[in-house]
Amino acid sequence: MADNWTLNKHSDIPLYQQIYEYIKAKILNGEWPVGTRLPTQRELARKFEVNRSTVVYALGELAAEGLIESKVGKGTAVANNTWSLLASAQPPDWHHYVKAGTYEPNKPFIQEINKAEANPQMIRLGTGELSPELLPAEHI
């Protein structure tokens, strides 16, 4: 690992995600072909100056995608680099779908009503629930 890539510890992107992307890029670019042994968790943690558990989490994500495989006594190696595994789909952009659809997004007034329903001081007529003050109470 002679490259000069470093983590951006001030980024909004979690450290494990940056490590995950770094290793995935190495596999995708062919720098680490199938069968290549990855550095140990401790070596990676030392290189990136992070806790080993951060590296373990990143490697777990890569293993879950089938890109790497760990074997006791043999370490962790690149197991696959197929495009189907590397082209993992991004989550849908629901805001885009709402704007593109035939229905309009909630109006600000409706959004305020939805927020107010979480307030225990409000009577929720829409759900048919009575206010706690209207319920019978024990007399002491």
Side-chain angles (χ1 to χ4, degrees), residues 86-140:
L86 295 170
S88 56
Q90 293 293 321
D93 180 3
W94 293 112
H95 185 67
H96 172 73
Y97 285 121
V98 170
K99 284 186 153 193
T102 56
Y103 297 101
E104 293 185 33
N106 285 345
K107 300 288 184 204
F109 185 69
I110 300 298
Q111 292 173 353
E112 287 300 315
I113 291 171
N114 291 339
K115 286 180 195 169
E117 282 196 338
N119 183 346
Q121 301 300 318
M122 301 295 284
I123 298 174
R124 299 177 63 194
L125 296 176
T127 61
E129 295 177 19
L130 295 174
S131 170
E133 295 86 37
L134 298 175
L135 297 174
E138 291 183 31
H139 294 286
I140 299 177

Side-chain angles (χ1 to χ4, degrees), residues 40-111:
T40 66
Q41 295 171 355
R42 284 183 172 73
E43 288 171 348
L44 289 169
R46 208 171 14 259
K47 174 188 173 29
F48 299 128
E49 299 176 352
V50 295
N51 190 308
R52 192 173 134 250
S53 63
T54 304
V55 171
V56 169
Y57 194 77
L59 294 177
E61 294 291 308
L62 291 161
E65 287 189 13
L67 295 174
I68 63 172
E69 190 174 72
S70 296
K71 291 186 180 176
V72 178
K74 294 190 177 195
T76 303
V78 177
N80 206 327
N81 63 357
T82 61
W83 284 103
S84 61
L85 288 173
L86 295 170
S88 56
Q90 293 293 321
D93 180 3
W94 293 112
H95 185 67
H96 172 73
Y97 285 121
V98 170
K99 284 186 153 193
T102 56
Y103 297 101
E104 293 185 33
N106 285 345
K107 300 288 184 204
F109 185 69
I110 300 298
Q111 292 173 353

